[in-house]
Amino acid sequence: MAKWTPKHEAPEPLEGPVVATVTGGTVLWFVLFLVQLPFYGWFDDHGHTWWLWTCLAGGGLGLIGVWYVRRRDAAIRRAAGRPADAPTRPGQPTRPTQRTQSTQQTPAE
């Protein structure tokens, strides 16, 4: 089997409000769990209790995700030379930019 080689460079990863997105998803999982909780009897009668436990697991894993992305965001800000509690302005990079070989300056001959 031949080794696969990419034909073009990979695109830059999308950066956005990662902490807010993960926090919103975590809250949504917990809300779904709480909304379904009063209907536990119906879920149990129909063999669908896994729906409740899936929502609870999603909320629990979301808490781990919130912890992770907050630490990641703080590390990116530290690497960029900004304090960890400084708010990010729109348009300001959230991580240090790296120059690719194609954009590096070469000495003139």
Side-chain angles (χ1 to χ4, degrees):
M1 185 185 307
K3 182 179 176 184
W4 179 80
T5 57
K7 296 185 188 324
H8 51 81
E9 290 186 32
E12 288 291 319
L14 296 175
E15 291 291 335
V18 180
V19 177
T21 302
V22 174
T23 302
T26 302
V27 168
L28 182 63
W29 279 114
F30 279 124
V31 167
L32 288 172
F33 173 73
L34 292 175
V35 166
Q36 294 178 20
L37 197 56
F39 304 103
Y40 183 83
W42 183 89
F43 286 116
D44 193 31
D45 292 342
H46 292 86
H48 295 302
T49 54
W50 64 271
W51 289 9
L52 281 100
W53 307 127
T54 299
C55 292
L56 187 61
L61 290 172
L63 290 176
I64 295 170
V66 169
W67 171 79
Y68 177 80
V69 296
R70 289 187 67 196
R71 286 181 47 112
R72 175 185 175 269
D73 194 41
I76 289 170
R77 290 178 190 205
R78 274 194 311 273
R82 294 192 310 267
D85 58 348
T88 306
R89 294 186 309 248
Q92 184 179 17
T94 56
R95 62 185 182 145
T97 57
Q98 296 177 347
R99 295 168 60 179
T100 60
Q101 189 170 2
S102 62
T103 60
Q104 289 179 349
Q105 299 287 335
T106 57
E109 293 183 31

